[in-house]
Amino acid sequence: MKQLTFAPRHHQLTNTRTWTPDGQWLVFDVRPSGAFFTGETIERVNVHSGDTEVLYRATNGAHVGVVTVHPFEDRYVFIHGPENPDASWHYDFHHRRGVVTHHSETRNLDAMDITPPFTPGALRGGTHVHVYSPNGEFVSFTYNDHVLHERDPALDLRNVGVAAPFGPVTPPGHHPREYAGSHWCVLVSQTTPAPKPGSDEINRAYEEGWVGNEQLAFIGDTLSLSGEKIPELFIVDLPKEESGWKRAGKSSLCGSESTMPAPPADVVQRRLTFTHDRAFPGLVNTPRHWVRCNPQGDTIAFLMRDEAGVVQLWLITPDGSDLRQLTHASGIQSAFNWHPSGKWLGFVLEDRIVLCDAQNGDIRFLTTNHENPPSGDAIVFSPTGEHVAWMQETGGYRQLWMTSTEV
Protein backbone atom coordinates (compact mmCIF):
# COMPACT_ATOMS: atom_id res chain seq x y z
CA MET A 1 0.00 0.00 0.00
CA LYS A 2 1.19 3.51 -0.76
CA GLN A 3 -0.15 6.74 0.72
CA LEU A 4 -0.39 9.40 -2.00
CA THR A 5 -1.50 12.54 -0.13
CA PHE A 6 -0.29 13.92 3.18
CA ALA A 7 -1.59 17.51 3.48
CA PRO A 8 -3.72 18.20 6.61
CA ARG A 9 -7.01 18.44 4.70
CA HIS A 10 -9.53 16.08 3.14
CA HIS A 11 -9.14 14.64 -0.36
CA GLN A 12 -12.27 13.42 -2.14
CA LEU A 13 -12.29 10.96 -5.05
CA THR A 14 -15.32 10.61 -7.31
CA ASN A 15 -16.66 7.07 -7.74
CA THR A 16 -15.27 6.55 -11.27
CA ARG A 17 -12.92 8.02 -13.92
CA THR A 18 -10.55 9.64 -11.46
CA TRP A 19 -7.28 8.68 -13.21
CA THR A 20 -5.79 10.66 -16.07
CA PRO A 21 -5.56 8.64 -19.31
CA ASP A 22 -1.78 8.21 -18.93
CA GLY A 23 -2.22 6.70 -15.47
CA GLN A 24 0.12 9.26 -13.90
CA TRP A 25 -2.37 11.36 -11.91
CA LEU A 26 -5.41 11.00 -9.68
CA VAL A 27 -7.88 13.90 -9.67
CA PHE A 28 -9.79 14.94 -6.57
CA ASP A 29 -11.57 17.79 -4.82
CA VAL A 30 -11.10 19.10 -1.29
CA ARG A 31 -14.54 18.96 0.28
CA PRO A 32 -14.33 18.36 4.04
CA SER A 33 -16.57 15.34 3.42
CA GLY A 34 -18.86 14.06 0.72
CA ALA A 35 -21.83 15.85 2.28
CA PHE A 36 -20.49 19.40 2.53
CA PHE A 37 -19.94 21.16 -0.78
CA THR A 38 -17.44 23.81 0.31
CA GLY A 39 -14.28 23.03 -1.67
CA GLU A 40 -12.76 25.75 -3.84
CA THR A 41 -10.28 23.78 -5.94
CA ILE A 42 -10.04 20.85 -8.32
CA GLU A 43 -6.62 19.23 -8.02
CA ARG A 44 -4.55 16.22 -9.02
CA VAL A 45 -1.71 14.26 -7.44
CA ASN A 46 1.08 12.45 -9.29
CA VAL A 47 0.92 8.86 -8.09
CA HIS A 48 4.68 8.42 -8.47
CA SER A 49 6.15 11.67 -7.13
CA GLY A 50 3.34 12.84 -4.85
CA ASP A 51 3.38 16.29 -6.46
CA THR A 52 0.01 18.06 -6.50
CA GLU A 53 -1.35 20.59 -8.98
CA VAL A 54 -4.40 22.87 -8.90
CA LEU A 55 -6.43 22.38 -12.08
CA TYR A 56 -9.14 24.93 -11.28
CA ARG A 57 -9.86 27.43 -8.52
CA ALA A 58 -13.37 28.81 -7.99
CA THR A 59 -13.94 32.52 -7.43
CA ASN A 60 -16.72 34.86 -6.30
CA GLY A 61 -17.93 32.60 -3.52
CA ALA A 62 -18.51 29.55 -5.71
CA HIS A 63 -17.56 26.00 -4.76
CA VAL A 64 -16.55 23.03 -6.90
CA GLY A 65 -16.23 19.26 -6.60
CA VAL A 66 -16.95 15.75 -7.90
CA VAL A 67 -14.41 15.78 -10.75
CA THR A 68 -14.00 13.07 -13.40
CA VAL A 69 -11.65 12.75 -16.38
CA HIS A 70 -12.14 12.29 -20.11
CA PRO A 71 -11.09 8.75 -21.16
CA PHE A 72 -8.49 9.92 -23.73
CA GLU A 73 -7.82 13.64 -23.25
CA ASP A 74 -6.50 16.00 -20.59
CA ARG A 75 -10.06 17.21 -19.99
CA TYR A 76 -11.91 17.40 -16.67
CA VAL A 77 -15.60 17.80 -15.87
CA PHE A 78 -16.97 18.69 -12.44
CA ILE A 79 -19.76 20.38 -10.49
CA HIS A 80 -19.66 24.16 -10.19
CA GLY A 81 -21.83 25.97 -7.67
CA PRO A 82 -23.24 29.47 -8.27
CA GLU A 83 -21.01 32.51 -8.14
CA ASN A 84 -22.00 35.33 -5.79
CA PRO A 85 -24.46 33.16 -3.85
CA ASP A 86 -27.17 34.89 -1.86
CA ALA A 87 -30.19 33.97 0.22
CA SER A 88 -32.34 33.29 -2.86
CA TRP A 89 -29.73 31.53 -4.99
CA HIS A 90 -27.04 29.39 -3.37
CA TYR A 91 -25.62 25.92 -3.86
CA ASP A 92 -28.34 23.27 -3.89
CA PHE A 93 -29.30 20.21 -5.91
CA HIS A 94 -31.18 22.45 -8.35
CA HIS A 95 -28.58 25.27 -8.33
CA ARG A 96 -25.40 23.79 -9.80
CA ARG A 97 -23.94 23.08 -13.21
CA GLY A 98 -21.32 21.02 -14.98
CA VAL A 99 -18.18 22.72 -16.27
CA VAL A 100 -15.30 21.36 -18.34
CA THR A 101 -11.73 22.57 -18.02
CA HIS A 102 -9.20 21.81 -20.75
CA HIS A 103 -5.79 23.44 -21.12
CA SER A 104 -6.78 26.15 -18.61
CA GLU A 105 -9.96 27.01 -20.54
CA THR A 106 -13.19 26.36 -18.61
CA ARG A 107 -16.68 26.32 -20.14
CA ASN A 108 -20.17 25.49 -18.96
CA LEU A 109 -21.32 22.05 -20.08
CA ASP A 110 -25.07 22.53 -19.61
CA ALA A 111 -27.06 25.69 -20.34
CA MET A 112 -29.75 26.96 -17.96
CA ASP A 113 -33.01 28.68 -18.89
CA ILE A 114 -35.58 29.19 -16.14
CA THR A 115 -37.70 31.77 -17.96
CA PRO A 116 -40.57 30.49 -20.14
CA PRO A 117 -40.71 29.76 -22.97
CA PHE A 118 -37.83 27.43 -22.18
CA THR A 119 -35.02 26.66 -24.60
CA PRO A 120 -34.61 23.16 -26.10
CA GLY A 121 -31.20 21.75 -25.26
CA ALA A 122 -30.98 23.84 -22.08
CA LEU A 123 -31.94 22.66 -18.61
CA ARG A 124 -33.81 24.42 -15.80
CA GLY A 125 -31.79 23.32 -12.78
CA GLY A 126 -28.72 21.56 -11.46
CA THR A 127 -26.55 18.71 -12.78
CA HIS A 128 -24.38 16.38 -10.71
CA VAL A 129 -21.76 13.59 -11.05
CA HIS A 130 -20.76 14.10 -14.67
CA VAL A 131 -19.23 11.04 -16.35
CA TYR A 132 -17.97 10.70 -19.92
CA SER A 133 -19.18 7.86 -22.12
CA PRO A 134 -16.52 5.27 -23.03
CA ASN A 135 -15.89 7.04 -26.37
CA GLY A 136 -15.64 10.43 -24.65
CA GLU A 137 -18.38 12.04 -26.76
CA PHE A 138 -21.25 12.21 -24.26
CA VAL A 139 -21.56 13.03 -20.56
CA SER A 140 -24.12 11.52 -18.20
CA PHE A 141 -25.38 13.26 -15.06
CA THR A 142 -28.15 13.34 -12.50
CA TYR A 143 -30.49 16.32 -12.42
CA ASN A 144 -32.83 18.37 -10.23
CA ASP A 145 -35.20 21.03 -11.51
CA HIS A 146 -35.36 24.65 -10.25
CA VAL A 147 -38.66 25.49 -11.95
CA LEU A 148 -40.56 22.62 -10.33
CA HIS A 149 -38.72 23.05 -7.03
CA GLU A 150 -40.04 26.61 -6.84
CA ARG A 151 -43.54 25.38 -7.64
CA ASP A 152 -43.50 22.44 -5.19
CA PRO A 153 -40.34 20.64 -3.97
CA ALA A 154 -42.24 17.34 -4.16
CA LEU A 155 -42.34 17.74 -7.95
CA ASP A 156 -38.57 18.14 -8.21
CA LEU A 157 -37.77 14.49 -8.89
CA ARG A 158 -34.20 13.27 -9.35
CA ASN A 159 -33.60 12.25 -12.98
CA VAL A 160 -30.79 11.12 -15.27
CA GLY A 161 -29.66 13.18 -18.24
CA VAL A 162 -27.07 13.30 -21.00
CA ALA A 163 -25.01 16.13 -22.48
CA ALA A 164 -24.60 15.47 -26.21
CA PRO A 165 -21.99 17.23 -28.41
CA PHE A 166 -24.56 19.07 -30.53
CA GLY A 167 -24.36 22.56 -29.00
CA PRO A 168 -23.71 25.23 -28.13
CA VAL A 169 -27.03 26.17 -26.55
CA THR A 170 -27.57 29.85 -25.75
CA PRO A 171 -30.77 30.87 -23.91
CA PRO A 172 -32.02 34.47 -24.30
CA GLY A 173 -30.77 35.31 -20.80
CA HIS A 174 -33.85 36.99 -19.32
CA HIS A 175 -32.76 36.04 -15.78
CA PRO A 176 -29.36 36.88 -14.25
CA ARG A 177 -28.85 33.25 -13.22
CA GLU A 178 -29.27 31.88 -16.76
CA TYR A 179 -26.25 30.91 -18.84
CA ALA A 180 -25.16 29.22 -22.07
CA GLY A 181 -23.61 25.75 -22.37
CA SER A 182 -21.38 23.92 -24.81
CA HIS A 183 -23.60 20.80 -25.11
CA TRP A 184 -27.16 19.90 -26.01
CA CYS A 185 -28.63 18.54 -22.76
CA VAL A 186 -31.74 16.42 -22.27
CA LEU A 187 -33.19 14.15 -19.63
CA VAL A 188 -33.31 10.48 -20.61
CA SER A 189 -35.21 9.01 -17.65
CA GLN A 190 -38.96 9.20 -17.20
CA THR A 191 -40.32 9.74 -13.68
CA THR A 192 -43.69 10.50 -12.13
CA PRO A 193 -44.48 11.95 -8.68
CA ALA A 194 -46.92 9.13 -7.87
CA PRO A 195 -45.90 5.77 -9.38
CA LYS A 196 -48.64 3.19 -9.63
CA PRO A 197 -47.93 0.46 -7.04
CA GLY A 198 -46.72 -2.72 -8.66
CA SER A 199 -45.94 -1.01 -11.98
CA ASP A 200 -42.73 -0.08 -13.82
CA GLU A 201 -43.23 3.61 -13.00
CA ILE A 202 -40.57 5.34 -10.90
CA ASN A 203 -40.36 8.61 -8.98
CA ARG A 204 -36.56 8.78 -8.85
CA ALA A 205 -33.74 7.86 -11.28
CA TYR A 206 -30.14 7.89 -10.02
CA GLU A 207 -26.68 6.24 -9.75
CA GLU A 208 -26.39 5.73 -13.50
CA GLY A 209 -23.66 3.98 -15.47
CA TRP A 210 -22.79 3.79 -19.16
CA VAL A 211 -23.54 0.55 -21.05
CA GLY A 212 -21.35 0.99 -24.09
CA ASN A 213 -21.94 4.36 -25.75
CA GLU A 214 -25.63 4.01 -26.61
CA GLN A 215 -27.26 2.92 -23.35
CA LEU A 216 -27.42 4.08 -19.74
CA ALA A 217 -28.40 1.91 -16.79
CA PHE A 218 -29.63 3.42 -13.53
CA ILE A 219 -31.52 2.71 -10.34
CA GLY A 220 -35.20 3.65 -10.35
CA ASP A 221 -37.44 3.70 -7.27
CA THR A 222 -40.63 1.70 -7.83
CA LEU A 223 -43.50 1.09 -5.43
CA SER A 224 -44.65 -2.37 -4.34
CA LEU A 225 -48.33 -3.23 -4.19
CA SER A 226 -48.21 -2.31 -0.51
CA GLY A 227 -46.61 1.06 -1.29
CA GLU A 228 -43.06 0.20 -0.19
CA LYS A 229 -40.18 1.85 -2.07
CA ILE A 230 -38.19 -0.77 -4.00
CA PRO A 231 -35.19 0.32 -6.08
CA GLU A 232 -34.97 -1.64 -9.34
CA LEU A 233 -32.52 -1.63 -12.25
CA PHE A 234 -33.52 0.22 -15.43
CA ILE A 235 -31.87 0.91 -18.76
CA VAL A 236 -32.50 3.44 -21.54
CA ASP A 237 -31.62 3.13 -25.22
CA LEU A 238 -30.18 6.41 -26.48
CA PRO A 239 -30.51 8.05 -29.93
CA LYS A 240 -27.90 7.08 -32.51
CA GLU A 241 -28.06 10.27 -34.61
CA GLU A 242 -28.04 13.99 -33.77
CA SER A 243 -31.60 14.36 -35.07
CA GLY A 244 -32.78 11.79 -32.53
CA TRP A 245 -31.41 13.86 -29.64
CA LYS A 246 -33.36 16.90 -30.81
CA ARG A 247 -36.69 15.30 -31.71
CA ALA A 248 -39.31 15.62 -28.98
CA GLY A 249 -41.69 12.82 -28.12
CA LYS A 250 -45.18 13.29 -26.73
CA SER A 251 -43.91 15.90 -24.25
CA SER A 252 -41.55 18.86 -24.56
CA LEU A 253 -37.79 18.34 -24.32
CA CYS A 254 -37.56 21.43 -22.13
CA GLY A 255 -40.71 20.87 -20.08
CA SER A 256 -43.24 23.42 -18.95
CA GLU A 257 -43.88 25.47 -15.83
CA SER A 258 -45.68 22.43 -14.36
CA THR A 259 -43.89 19.45 -15.96
CA MET A 260 -40.37 18.03 -15.99
CA PRO A 261 -38.37 18.10 -19.25
CA ALA A 262 -39.10 14.89 -21.18
CA PRO A 263 -36.74 12.50 -23.00
CA PRO A 264 -36.34 12.66 -26.79
CA ALA A 265 -38.71 10.51 -28.84
CA ASP A 266 -36.09 7.84 -29.57
CA VAL A 267 -35.23 7.20 -25.91
CA VAL A 268 -36.73 3.95 -24.63
CA GLN A 269 -36.79 3.15 -20.89
CA ARG A 270 -36.94 -0.50 -19.81
CA ARG A 271 -36.95 -2.25 -16.46
CA LEU A 272 -34.36 -5.02 -16.03
CA THR A 273 -34.99 -6.41 -12.53
CA PHE A 274 -38.25 -7.57 -10.96
CA THR A 275 -37.53 -8.25 -7.30
CA HIS A 276 -40.74 -7.25 -5.49
CA ASP A 277 -41.40 -10.85 -4.42
CA ARG A 278 -37.92 -11.54 -3.01
CA ALA A 279 -37.34 -11.83 0.74
CA PHE A 280 -35.07 -8.77 0.49
CA PRO A 281 -36.31 -6.94 -2.60
CA GLY A 282 -34.57 -4.22 -4.55
CA LEU A 283 -31.08 -2.93 -5.16
CA VAL A 284 -29.43 -1.56 -2.03
CA ASN A 285 -28.84 2.13 -1.30
CA THR A 286 -26.41 1.26 1.53
CA PRO A 287 -23.62 1.06 0.68
CA ARG A 288 -24.25 3.74 -1.91
CA HIS A 289 -23.17 2.45 -5.30
CA TRP A 290 -23.47 3.20 -8.99
CA VAL A 291 -24.46 0.50 -11.46
CA ARG A 292 -21.51 -0.35 -13.68
CA CYS A 293 -21.19 -2.20 -16.98
CA ASN A 294 -18.05 -4.09 -17.97
CA PRO A 295 -15.83 -2.63 -20.73
CA GLN A 296 -17.18 -5.21 -23.18
CA GLY A 297 -20.68 -3.76 -22.73
CA ASP A 298 -22.40 -7.08 -22.08
CA THR A 299 -22.68 -7.36 -18.28
CA ILE A 300 -24.10 -4.90 -15.75
CA ALA A 301 -23.14 -5.21 -12.07
CA PHE A 302 -25.06 -3.94 -9.05
CA LEU A 303 -25.52 -4.62 -5.34
CA MET A 304 -28.50 -6.49 -3.89
CA ARG A 305 -29.09 -8.60 -0.79
CA ASP A 306 -29.10 -12.38 -0.97
CA GLU A 307 -31.75 -14.58 0.61
CA ALA A 308 -30.06 -14.16 4.00
CA GLY A 309 -30.07 -10.35 3.74
CA VAL A 310 -26.33 -10.01 3.03
CA VAL A 311 -25.20 -7.45 0.42
CA GLN A 312 -23.72 -9.23 -2.60
CA LEU A 313 -22.64 -8.39 -6.13
CA TRP A 314 -25.08 -9.40 -8.86
CA LEU A 315 -24.76 -9.46 -12.64
CA ILE A 316 -27.28 -9.14 -15.46
CA THR A 317 -27.13 -8.63 -19.22
CA PRO A 318 -28.39 -5.38 -20.80
CA ASP A 319 -31.44 -7.18 -22.21
CA GLY A 320 -32.45 -8.30 -18.71
CA SER A 321 -31.53 -11.97 -19.07
CA ASP A 322 -29.11 -14.12 -17.08
CA LEU A 323 -29.52 -12.50 -13.66
CA ARG A 324 -27.06 -14.18 -11.31
CA GLN A 325 -25.49 -13.70 -7.90
CA LEU A 326 -21.72 -13.39 -8.33
CA THR A 327 -20.43 -13.18 -4.75
CA HIS A 328 -21.22 -15.23 -1.66
CA ALA A 329 -19.23 -13.06 0.70
CA SER A 330 -19.71 -11.68 4.20
CA GLY A 331 -21.16 -8.40 2.93
CA ILE A 332 -19.81 -5.90 0.40
CA GLN A 333 -19.05 -2.55 2.04
CA SER A 334 -18.51 -0.11 -0.83
CA ALA A 335 -19.19 1.07 -4.31
CA PHE A 336 -17.27 -0.93 -6.93
CA ASN A 337 -15.71 -0.69 -10.38
CA TRP A 338 -14.73 -3.10 -13.12
CA HIS A 339 -11.07 -3.75 -13.84
CA PRO A 340 -10.25 -2.40 -17.35
CA SER A 341 -9.90 -5.97 -18.61
CA GLY A 342 -13.43 -6.84 -17.54
CA LYS A 343 -12.09 -9.91 -15.71
CA TRP A 344 -12.36 -8.58 -12.15
CA LEU A 345 -14.23 -6.09 -10.00
CA GLY A 346 -12.81 -4.13 -7.07
CA PHE A 347 -14.51 -3.18 -3.80
CA VAL A 348 -14.18 -3.21 0.00
CA LEU A 349 -14.81 -6.44 1.89
CA GLU A 350 -13.96 -7.12 5.53
CA ASP A 351 -12.45 -3.60 5.68
CA ARG A 352 -9.91 -4.44 2.96
CA ILE A 353 -9.52 -3.80 -0.76
CA VAL A 354 -10.29 -6.89 -2.82
CA LEU A 355 -10.36 -8.19 -6.39
CA CYS A 356 -13.34 -10.34 -7.33
CA ASP A 357 -13.23 -12.74 -10.29
CA ALA A 358 -16.05 -11.74 -12.64
CA GLN A 359 -16.67 -15.34 -13.70
CA ASN A 360 -16.80 -17.29 -10.47
CA GLY A 361 -16.85 -14.67 -7.69
CA ASP A 362 -13.57 -15.78 -6.12
CA ILE A 363 -12.10 -13.10 -3.84
CA ARG A 364 -8.46 -12.07 -3.58
CA PHE A 365 -7.46 -9.61 -0.86
CA LEU A 366 -5.08 -6.87 -2.03
CA THR A 367 -4.51 -5.11 1.31
CA THR A 368 -4.19 -5.84 5.01
CA ASN A 369 -3.74 -3.89 8.23
CA HIS A 370 -5.51 -0.65 7.35
CA GLU A 371 -5.22 1.99 10.10
CA ASN A 372 -8.86 2.78 9.39
CA PRO A 373 -11.30 1.05 7.03
CA PRO A 374 -11.16 2.25 3.40
CA SER A 375 -13.93 4.64 2.43
CA GLY A 376 -16.81 2.99 0.62
CA ASP A 377 -17.27 5.94 -1.75
CA ALA A 378 -14.72 5.09 -4.45
CA ILE A 379 -12.56 2.13 -5.45
CA VAL A 380 -10.98 3.15 -8.76
CA PHE A 381 -8.63 1.30 -11.13
CA SER A 382 -5.89 2.93 -13.16
CA PRO A 383 -6.38 2.87 -16.97
CA THR A 384 -4.10 -0.16 -17.38
CA GLY A 385 -5.50 -1.89 -14.31
CA GLU A 386 -2.08 -2.14 -12.66
CA HIS A 387 -3.17 -0.10 -9.65
CA VAL A 388 -6.28 0.64 -7.63
CA ALA A 389 -6.86 3.74 -5.50
CA TRP A 390 -9.17 4.58 -2.63
CA MET A 391 -9.70 7.01 0.25
CA GLN A 392 -8.90 6.31 3.88
CA GLU A 393 -8.85 8.44 7.02
CA THR A 394 -5.24 8.87 8.02
CA GLY A 395 -4.13 11.20 10.80
CA GLY A 396 -7.62 12.65 11.05
CA TYR A 397 -7.96 13.48 7.34
CA ARG A 398 -9.29 11.64 4.33
CA GLN A 399 -6.17 10.77 2.30
CA LEU A 400 -5.62 8.98 -1.00
CA TRP A 401 -4.01 5.54 -1.12
CA MET A 402 -2.98 3.13 -3.87
CA THR A 403 -1.83 -0.45 -4.24
CA SER A 404 -0.84 -2.80 -7.04
CA THR A 405 -3.46 -5.21 -8.36
CA GLU A 406 -0.78 -7.73 -9.36
CA VAL A 407 -2.73 -8.74 -12.46
Side-chain angles (χ1 to χ4, degrees), residues 57-73:
R57 185 179 299 276
T59 59
N60 299 315
H63 296 104
V64 292
V66 195
V67 57
T68 63
V69 190
H70 190 281
F72 313 118
E73 302 175 7

Side-chain angles (χ1 to χ4, degrees), residues 77 100 109 130-133 136-141 161-164 183 210:
V77 59
V100 175
L109 178 75
H130 309 84
V131 179
Y132 283 101
S133 58
E137 294 185 9
F138 301 87
V139 180
S140 68
F141 52 80
V162 172
H183 281 54
W210 285 98

Side-chain angles (χ1 to χ4, degrees), residues 198-246:
S199 74
D200 294 347
E201 295 177 345
I202 58 174
N203 60 8
R204 179 178 168 88
Y206 54 104
E207 323 304 44
E208 81 283 359
W210 285 98
V211 180
N213 297 297
E214 296 180 350
Q215 292 178 304
L216 269 177
F218 57 86
I219 303 174
D221 286 348
T222 66
L223 291 183
S224 69
L225 289 173
S226 62
E228 176 189 6
K229 182 190 82 170
I230 300 181
E232 298 279 12
L233 182 65
F234 287 77
I235 194 168
V236 287
D237 301 321
L238 302 176
K240 294 179 172 58
E241 306 292 338
E242 178 178 350
S243 59
W245 289 95
K246 297 186 175 181

Side-chain angles (χ1 to χ4, degrees), residues 37 42 56 63-68 76-83 91-101 106-112 123 125-132 139-144 163 179-183 185:
F37 201 82
I42 299 296
Y56 180 84
H63 296 104
V64 292
V66 195
V67 57
T68 63
Y76 309 86
V77 59
F78 51 92
I79 299 172
H80 203 298
E83 291 89 352
Y91 179 83
D92 207 330
F93 291 160
H94 56 292
H95 290 164
R96 54 188 177 181
R97 67 188 190 272
V99 299
V100 175
T101 189
T106 302
R107 297 193 298 170
N108 293 335
L109 178 75
D110 43 297
M112 176 183 269
L123 299 174
T127 61
H128 172 249
V129 190
H130 309 84
V131 179
Y132 283 101
V139 180
S140 68
F141 52 80
T142 45
Y143 173 79
N144 284 84
Y179 43 80
S182 61
H183 281 54
C185 295

